[in-house]
Amino acid sequence: MSATAKGEAGYDRRQELQAFDDTKAGVKGLVDAGVTTVPPIFHHPPDSLSTSSTAATIPVIDLSGSRPDVVGQVRAAAETVGFFQVVSHGVRAGLLAEMLASVRRFHESPAEAKTPYYTRDLARKVRFNSNFDLFQSPAANWRDTLFCQAFPDPPELEELPAAVRDVLLEYGDAVRRLAVRVLELVSEAMGLAPGRLGKMGCADGLSVVSNYYPPCPQPHLTLGTSRHSDPAFLTVLLQDDMAGLQVLVDVEDGEKRSAWADVPPVPGALVINVGDLLQLVSNGRLKSVEHRVVANRSRDRARISVAAFFNADLRRKTAVYGPIEEQVSSSAPPLYRSITVGEFLSHYDGKGLDGRPALDHLLLP
């Protein structure tokens, strides 16, 4: 059924979506109102809720190791599962804790403190809403989000909610330094000079996306975040101590299949994953792997995560990205056509989290 179609009992999905959005209270507002059932707009198809899992583990890389060893570990992870966790990353523990605490403070503030930030206006540098793709995706997710365009043109401090004002931009600066460091390792892993990806502008833009996953009364019916890959070069993710993030990995146990692998929280670690645009410029050598967040099964505590998405500077509207010359050969012809980051993000936002890989749009015949 389409987003505007009416069901057999006269159910108008578009009307229900609009009514939910008009509250400007998000999923937290539903929980605060005492809902005991998940509204139909959040119901996902049963096949997307598959619990097929694997014991496969996501690598944890100690960045204080020897350079050749670290580069080798990054290469192995980026070319297969597309995810790894890092420790000894240089972002101080107190800043990680304060960032998580500030996100919880914001989302658990009274509704009247959050409402002024509730918007779907993409021109706003600071946006609070529930489901960026609410009106495009097949099913809404049990999640609220605070978005901040943090670099290179950050908001004025007074534009930020008081709950996160003292920490968000400092956190953004710290994880950007880490992203530059990781991109140097990735460049070396691809056989390039360490600064190659940095010089291409792969960390010249930063969006900090702070997610709040409230307790869900019927977690078997919905998801926290649908299956997707990231529309960025690189993502640095901070998660609290609650599980929920899963990565889709290939498993061979007599037959080749895909299954969901948990990314368990590691104290003090940050999660790194390859984004769609890094897969694009590597000509498919590095893997932007699909992942999801299951609905929160806790009865009384929300899950928090903070995703830092690294991209090009969107003010450079004519910068075009395609497979890097050194990654193309007669035995590895280009897989994708070139595109500007702005065009790619418009395509991604327009389709929403619909379960289809965004890079398929760029595949060459």
Side-chain angles (χ1 to χ4, degrees), residues 40-247:
I41 61 171
F42 295 93
H43 289 193
H44 285 248
D47 60 345
S48 71
L49 298 167
S50 165
T51 57
S52 173
S53 60
T54 173
T57 57
I58 304 304
V60 178
I61 301 176
D62 186 339
L63 296 184
S64 68
S66 74
R67 186 81 173 191
D69 285 349
V70 173
V71 169
Q73 292 176 66
V74 168
R75 180 188 301 114
E79 292 183 352
T80 54
V81 70
F83 270 74
F84 52 96
Q85 302 202 58
V86 294
V87 295
S88 303
H89 45 62
V91 183
R92 58 183 179 84
L95 184 57
L96 300 180
E98 181 53 27
M99 187 65 219
L100 289 171
S102 72
V103 172
R104 189 176 296 277
R105 278 198 304 271
F106 171 78
H107 284 285
E108 295 180 355
S109 297
E112 57 269 21
K114 296 185 292 184
T115 300
Y117 300 97
Y118 197 96
T119 182
R120 297 193 181 275
D121 180 358
L122 299 182
R124 294 265 297 271
K125 295 179 182 178
V126 180
R127 306 191 291 272
F128 163 57
N129 59 45
S130 184
N131 290 259
F132 77 92
D133 57 347
L134 184 67
F135 297 98
Q136 289 83 35
S137 63
N141 289 306
W142 202 256
R143 177 191 79 245
D144 297 331
T145 299
L146 177 66
F147 170 97
C148 176
Q149 176 187 308
F151 189 86
D153 187 20
E156 299 294 332
L157 281 179
E158 57 268 22
E159 294 179 65
L160 289 166
V164 300
R165 188 172 298 156
D166 294 337
V167 63
L168 193 148
L169 295 181
E170 179 188 356
Y171 176 78
D173 288 343
V175 291
R176 185 168 178 269
R177 288 192 294 271
L178 171 62
V180 169
R181 183 179 172 191
V182 171
L183 284 170
E184 291 178 349
L185 295 168
V186 172
S187 290
E188 289 187 51
M190 294 170 63
L192 305 171
R196 181 65 180 279
L197 293 173
K199 289 178 180 176
M200 289 172 55
C202 298
D204 284 357
L206 167 61
S207 299
V208 177
V209 178
S210 304
N211 292 312
Y212 183 86
Y213 300 92
C216 183
Q218 295 176 302
H220 61 287
L221 294 179
T222 189
L223 289 167
T225 301
S226 303
R227 171 178 174 172
H228 70 288
S229 55
D230 289 348
F233 286 99
L234 195 76
T235 303
V236 178
L237 179 76
L238 168 63
Q239 53 179 349
D240 66 8
D241 58 357
M242 296 180 69
L245 175 62
Q246 297 182 326
V247 176

